[in-house]
Amino acid sequence: MILMIERLQTIETRYNELTEELMKPENISDIKKTMSLSKEQASLRDAYEAYQQYKKLTADIEAAKEMTKDKELGEFAKEELVTYQEQLDKLLSDIEILLLPKDPNDMKDVIVEIRGAAGGDEGNIFAGDLFDMYKKLAEKEGWKIEVLEEEKGEAGGYTLISFMVRGENVYSKLKYESGAHRVQRVPVTETQGRVHTSTATVLVMPEAEEIDYQLDMNEVRIDITRSSGCGGQGVNTTDSAVRLTHIPTGIVVYSQTERSQIKNKEKAIKILQTRLYDYYTQQEQEKLGAERRSKIGTGDRSEKIRTYNYPQNRVTDHRIGFTLNTLDRVMEGDLDKVIDALITEDQNRKLRGE
């Protein structure tokens, strides 16, 4: 308990220091510095506000204890004391979770890649269904989606779709989505009514910023090509598509969603920067080994994380053994129960020191 209060006091001190820093003229004129300070303060805000609530509750409890000695107000004060104590117990449980080590990426926007995998056309169609599911989730959460790259499947859906999701705490809610998503249903291409199993893979990457990863353009080969595929009228008439190849890692990014070569290049650079940040972050985590294994899922696209069973209207997350019989609602973007279950299990594992 003493250590908890000491940590809260340290957070309060730092939060107030950041408030002062953000008001200094030299920092106001420095956009990068302001962004960095604001992000640090935002990461402390919940714990800071919880500590203010803690101080108020403990003061109320002390005042109620004094009032219990009063003949007229004693009984009322005892009732108040019980209520305050219940509130304090709940608050301390919440603070324990707030003080768990935070993922520094939780507040970031993300780039999501979905690829049709096993199952041919049905895998691609399911990739499209997953994209629609995340779009509907984004609408519910008030997030904005921007398509960065797409390769449409011949029978529908996508062999690949990459998109940015911007909003509040996006990565904290979508980070558990990386992995192989399996669907069991009768495909639209099936003539005999048999249930097939297909998969699509999802990769969720926190958006990289300059302070996270500095891309050296000397290590990047830039190729300008003519756009291909369904991109709207006139898409093939100009050399506007941009392909970037990061020579040290071999990572390739292709952008053609804009008619402007400059805009496609800007998008491609942002995607490449994010992919490299994810690539090097994963390498570091692999070195740590135990830290990566302790997470709910490794983020590996080959890891089967969830099954969507249409005949039984069932969705099961295999990492935590969580099942819902409301697949129809989940596909409409109602993922709250799944995400909350994953977050709760992650917090419980950290509380247990796993």
Side-chain angles (χ1 to χ4, degrees), residues 103 105-110 143 168-177 204 206 339-340 342-343 346:
D103 187 331
N105 293 318
D106 273 353
M107 299 179 69
K108 290 186 177 180
D109 298 330
V110 302
W143 299 337
E168 187 175 349
N169 297 323
V170 177
Y171 186 71
S172 69
K173 294 187 177 181
L174 290 184
K175 63 183 176 182
Y176 304 107
E177 296 301 301
V204 178
I339 291 171
D340 289 346
L342 287 161
I343 291 172
D346 195 19

Short mmCIF file of all heavy atoms in Angstrom, two decimals, residues 103 105-110 143 168-177 204 206 339-340 342-343 346:
data_model
loop_
_atom_site.label_atom_id
_atom_site.label_comp_id
_atom_site.label_asym_id
_atom_site.label_seq_id
_atom_site.Cartn_x
_atom_site.Cartn_y
_atom_site.Cartn_z
N ASP A 103 1.79 -0.62 -22.10
CA ASP A 103 2.33 -0.75 -23.44
C ASP A 103 2.47 0.66 -24.00
O ASP A 103 1.48 1.39 -24.11
CB ASP A 103 1.36 -1.57 -24.31
CG ASP A 103 1.93 -1.90 -25.67
OD1 ASP A 103 2.75 -1.10 -26.18
OD2 ASP A 103 1.55 -2.94 -26.25
N ASN A 105 2.65 1.72 -26.79
CA ASN A 105 1.94 1.94 -28.06
C ASN A 105 0.42 2.05 -27.90
O ASN A 105 -0.28 2.31 -28.88
CB ASN A 105 2.24 0.79 -29.03
CG ASN A 105 3.69 0.78 -29.46
OD1 ASN A 105 4.27 1.82 -29.73
ND2 ASN A 105 4.29 -0.41 -29.51
N ASP A 106 -0.10 1.83 -26.69
CA ASP A 106 -1.55 1.73 -26.50
C ASP A 106 -2.34 2.91 -27.04
O ASP A 106 -3.47 2.76 -27.50
CB ASP A 106 -1.89 1.52 -25.02
CG ASP A 106 -1.86 0.05 -24.63
OD1 ASP A 106 -1.71 -0.80 -25.53
OD2 ASP A 106 -1.98 -0.25 -23.43
N MET A 107 -1.78 4.11 -26.98
CA MET A 107 -2.52 5.30 -27.38
C MET A 107 -2.38 5.61 -28.87
O MET A 107 -2.93 6.59 -29.35
CB MET A 107 -2.06 6.50 -26.55
CG MET A 107 -2.30 6.33 -25.06
SD MET A 107 -1.72 7.72 -24.08
CE MET A 107 -2.88 8.98 -24.59
N LYS A 108 -1.64 4.78 -29.58
CA LYS A 108 -1.34 5.09 -30.97
C LYS A 108 -2.44 4.65 -31.93
O LYS A 108 -3.23 3.77 -31.64
CB LYS A 108 -0.02 4.41 -31.38
CG LYS A 108 1.20 5.01 -30.71
CD LYS A 108 2.46 4.39 -31.27
CE LYS A 108 3.68 5.06 -30.63
NZ LYS A 108 4.92 4.48 -31.15
N ASP A 109 -2.43 5.30 -33.10
CA ASP A 109 -3.23 4.82 -34.22
C ASP A 109 -2.54 3.58 -34.78
O ASP A 109 -1.40 3.28 -34.44
CB ASP A 109 -3.32 5.91 -35.30
CG ASP A 109 -4.00 7.18 -34.79
OD1 ASP A 109 -4.86 7.05 -33.90
OD2 ASP A 109 -3.68 8.27 -35.28
N VAL A 110 -3.24 2.86 -35.65
CA VAL A 110 -2.67 1.61 -36.15
C VAL A 110 -2.81 1.50 -37.66
O VAL A 110 -3.65 2.15 -38.28
CB VAL A 110 -3.34 0.37 -35.51
CG1 VAL A 110 -3.22 0.39 -34.01
CG2 VAL A 110 -4.80 0.24 -35.95
N TRP A 143 -13.87 6.02 -34.55
CA TRP A 143 -12.56 6.02 -35.21
C TRP A 143 -12.73 6.31 -36.70
O TRP A 143 -13.80 6.11 -37.27
CB TRP A 143 -11.87 4.67 -35.05
CG TRP A 143 -11.60 4.27 -33.64
CD1 TRP A 143 -11.49 5.08 -32.54
CD2 TRP A 143 -11.42 2.92 -33.15
NE1 TRP A 143 -11.25 4.33 -31.41
CE2 TRP A 143 -11.20 3.01 -31.75
CE3 TRP A 143 -11.40 1.66 -33.76
CZ2 TRP A 143 -10.97 1.89 -30.97
CZ3 TRP A 143 -11.18 0.55 -32.97
CH2 TRP A 143 -10.96 0.66 -31.58
N GLU A 168 -9.07 7.36 -30.59
CA GLU A 168 -8.59 7.32 -29.21
C GLU A 168 -8.25 5.90 -28.78
O GLU A 168 -9.08 5.00 -28.87
CB GLU A 168 -9.66 7.92 -28.29
CG GLU A 168 -9.20 8.09 -26.85
CD GLU A 168 -10.23 8.79 -25.98
OE1 GLU A 168 -11.21 9.33 -26.53
OE2 GLU A 168 -10.05 8.77 -24.75
N ASN A 169 -7.02 5.69 -28.32
CA ASN A 169 -6.57 4.40 -27.78
C ASN A 169 -6.85 3.23 -28.73
O ASN A 169 -7.25 2.15 -28.30
CB ASN A 169 -7.24 4.13 -26.43
CG ASN A 169 -6.85 5.16 -25.38
OD1 ASN A 169 -5.71 5.61 -25.35
ND2 ASN A 169 -7.79 5.55 -24.54
N VAL A 170 -6.62 3.44 -30.02
CA VAL A 170 -6.93 2.40 -31.01
C VAL A 170 -6.10 1.14 -30.78
O VAL A 170 -6.63 0.02 -30.74
CB VAL A 170 -6.72 2.93 -32.44
CG1 VAL A 170 -6.98 1.83 -33.45
CG2 VAL A 170 -7.65 4.10 -32.72
N TYR A 171 -4.79 1.30 -30.62
CA TYR A 171 -3.93 0.11 -30.49
C TYR A 171 -4.27 -0.70 -29.25
O TYR A 171 -4.21 -1.94 -29.27
CB TYR A 171 -2.46 0.52 -30.47
CG TYR A 171 -1.51 -0.67 -30.49
CD1 TYR A 171 -1.35 -1.45 -31.63
CD2 TYR A 171 -0.80 -1.03 -29.34
CE1 TYR A 171 -0.50 -2.54 -31.65
CE2 TYR A 171 0.06 -2.12 -29.35
CZ TYR A 171 0.21 -2.87 -30.50
OH TYR A 171 1.04 -3.97 -30.50
N SER A 172 -4.67 -0.03 -28.17
CA SER A 172 -4.97 -0.75 -26.92
C SER A 172 -6.13 -1.73 -27.12
O SER A 172 -6.21 -2.74 -26.42
CB SER A 172 -5.33 0.24 -25.81
OG SER A 172 -6.58 0.87 -26.05
N LYS A 173 -7.02 -1.45 -28.08
CA LYS A 173 -8.17 -2.33 -28.31
C LYS A 173 -7.98 -3.28 -29.48
O LYS A 173 -8.58 -4.37 -29.50
CB LYS A 173 -9.43 -1.47 -28.54
CG LYS A 173 -9.82 -0.69 -27.29
CD LYS A 173 -11.16 0.02 -27.46
CE LYS A 173 -11.56 0.74 -26.18
NZ LYS A 173 -12.86 1.44 -26.30
N LEU A 174 -7.16 -2.90 -30.45
CA LEU A 174 -7.00 -3.76 -31.64
C LEU A 174 -5.75 -4.63 -31.60
O LEU A 174 -5.60 -5.50 -32.45
CB LEU A 174 -6.99 -2.89 -32.90
CG LEU A 174 -8.30 -2.23 -33.31
CD1 LEU A 174 -8.13 -1.49 -34.64
CD2 LEU A 174 -9.43 -3.25 -33.43
N LYS A 175 -4.86 -4.42 -30.63
CA LYS A 175 -3.58 -5.13 -30.65
C LYS A 175 -3.72 -6.64 -30.50
O LYS A 175 -2.83 -7.38 -30.90
CB LYS A 175 -2.65 -4.59 -29.58
CG LYS A 175 -3.13 -4.78 -28.14
CD LYS A 175 -2.14 -4.12 -27.19
CE LYS A 175 -2.61 -4.17 -25.75
NZ LYS A 175 -1.65 -3.50 -24.84
N TYR A 176 -4.86 -7.09 -29.94
CA TYR A 176 -5.04 -8.54 -29.77
C TYR A 176 -5.58 -9.21 -31.04
O TYR A 176 -5.80 -10.43 -31.05
CB TYR A 176 -6.02 -8.80 -28.62
CG TYR A 176 -5.61 -8.16 -27.32
CD1 TYR A 176 -6.29 -7.04 -26.83
CD2 TYR A 176 -4.56 -8.67 -26.56
CE1 TYR A 176 -5.93 -6.44 -25.64
CE2 TYR A 176 -4.18 -8.07 -25.36
CZ TYR A 176 -4.87 -6.95 -24.91
OH TYR A 176 -4.50 -6.36 -23.73
N GLU A 177 -5.80 -8.45 -32.11
CA GLU A 177 -6.41 -9.00 -33.32
C GLU A 177 -5.42 -9.66 -34.26
O GLU A 177 -5.82 -10.33 -35.22
CB GLU A 177 -7.18 -7.90 -34.07
CG GLU A 177 -8.36 -7.33 -33.31
CD GLU A 177 -9.38 -8.39 -32.95
OE1 GLU A 177 -9.92 -9.04 -33.87
OE2 GLU A 177 -9.62 -8.58 -31.74
N VAL A 204 -1.82 -6.22 -36.93
CA VAL A 204 -2.09 -4.88 -36.40
C VAL A 204 -0.77 -4.28 -35.95
O VAL A 204 -0.07 -4.84 -35.09
CB VAL A 204 -3.07 -4.93 -35.21
CG1 VAL A 204 -3.30 -3.53 -34.65
CG2 VAL A 204 -4.40 -5.55 -35.63
N PRO A 206 1.23 -0.70 -34.59
CA PRO A 206 1.11 0.68 -34.12
C PRO A 206 1.78 1.62 -35.11
O PRO A 206 2.86 1.33 -35.62
CB PRO A 206 1.83 0.67 -32.77
CG PRO A 206 2.79 -0.48 -32.86
CD PRO A 206 2.11 -1.50 -33.72
N ILE A 339 -13.12 -8.09 -26.88
CA ILE A 339 -11.98 -7.23 -26.56
C ILE A 339 -11.83 -7.06 -25.05
O ILE A 339 -10.73 -7.16 -24.50
CB ILE A 339 -12.15 -5.85 -27.24
CG1 ILE A 339 -12.00 -6.00 -28.77
CG2 ILE A 339 -11.12 -4.85 -26.71
CD1 ILE A 339 -12.36 -4.75 -29.55
N ASP A 340 -12.96 -6.84 -24.35
CA ASP A 340 -12.90 -6.67 -22.89
C ASP A 340 -12.38 -7.93 -22.20
O ASP A 340 -11.61 -7.84 -21.24
CB ASP A 340 -14.30 -6.32 -22.34
CG ASP A 340 -14.73 -4.91 -22.71
OD1 ASP A 340 -13.87 -4.12 -23.15
OD2 ASP A 340 -15.93 -4.59 -22.57
N LEU A 342 -10.31 -10.13 -23.45
CA LEU A 342 -8.87 -10.21 -23.73
C LEU A 342 -8.09 -9.23 -22.86
O LEU A 342 -7.04 -9.57 -22.30
CB LEU A 342 -8.61 -9.93 -25.21
CG LEU A 342 -9.02 -11.05 -26.16
CD1 LEU A 342 -9.16 -10.51 -27.59
CD2 LEU A 342 -8.02 -12.19 -26.13
N ILE A 343 -8.61 -8.01 -22.72
CA ILE A 343 -7.94 -7.00 -21.88
C ILE A 343 -7.91 -7.46 -20.42
O ILE A 343 -6.89 -7.37 -19.74
CB ILE A 343 -8.64 -5.64 -22.01
CG1 ILE A 343 -8.41 -5.04 -23.40
CG2 ILE A 343 -8.15 -4.66 -20.93
CD1 ILE A 343 -9.22 -3.78 -23.69
N ASP A 346 -5.41 -10.23 -19.91
CA ASP A 346 -4.06 -9.67 -19.99
C ASP A 346 -3.69 -9.00 -18.67
O ASP A 346 -2.59 -9.18 -18.14
CB ASP A 346 -4.00 -8.67 -21.16
CG ASP A 346 -2.57 -8.33 -21.55
OD1 ASP A 346 -1.65 -9.09 -21.20
OD2 ASP A 346 -2.37 -7.28 -22.20
#
